Amino acid sequence: QVQLDESGGGSVQAGGSLTLSCAASRRIFMRNPMGWYRRVPGEQREVVARIDASGSSSNYADSVKGRFTISRDNAKNTLYLQMTNLQPEDTAVYYCNQWPPARPYWSQGTQVTVSS
């Protein structure tokens, strides 16, 4: 049973764009704040962006402000992360989860690789 399924990752050059999607089970998604997270091998997972249950309020890590946009479609139980002007330091595995994150819901994530 897939509970969170991230997709949309890939390899791009610096300055490029990608949009990640996270298909969630209704139980996890409905009426819960959600977040996008990322982890570089050897480092701790960090929160990139989060959004409230209605989609009306969002917050971003300083490193991605002005470049990333989080959104959600509550009718489709789907979370999005639009990433523009990607930089090599954005290279990581990206995950979605509730905010705050619930340990049982971590999934495989989607790899984003940005080359200079």
Side-chain angles (χ1 to χ4, degrees), residues 2-6 22-25 28 34 96-98 105 107:
V2 176
Q3 301 189 97
L4 290 169
D5 185 20
E6 301 94 344
C22 170
S25 67
I28 293 175
M34 296 292 294
C96 62
N97 202 326
Q98 293 178 338
Y105 300 153
S107 59

Side-chain angles (χ1 to χ4, degrees), residues 34-96:
M34 296 292 294
W36 281 101
Y37 307 79
R38 66 186 182 188
R39 182 160 65 185
V40 175
E43 299 184 9
Q44 287 192 336
R45 189 158 21 207
E46 63 171 347
V47 59
V48 173
R50 50 192 173 99
I51 190 168
D52 70 355
S54 69
S56 62
S57 178
S58 57
N59 295 90
Y60 298 88
D62 287 343
S63 59
V64 306
K65 276 181 183 176
R67 300 188 298 122
F68 290 11
T69 302
I70 189 172
S71 62
R72 63 191 294 162
D73 185 333
N74 285 345
K76 296 181 178 179
N77 297 324
T78 302
L79 184 72
Y80 301 98
L81 184 68
Q82 184 177 12
M83 306 185 293
T84 62
N85 192 22
L86 283 160
Q87 299 300 314
E89 53 266 34
D90 296 317
T91 295
V93 178
Y94 285 72
Y95 306 85
C96 62

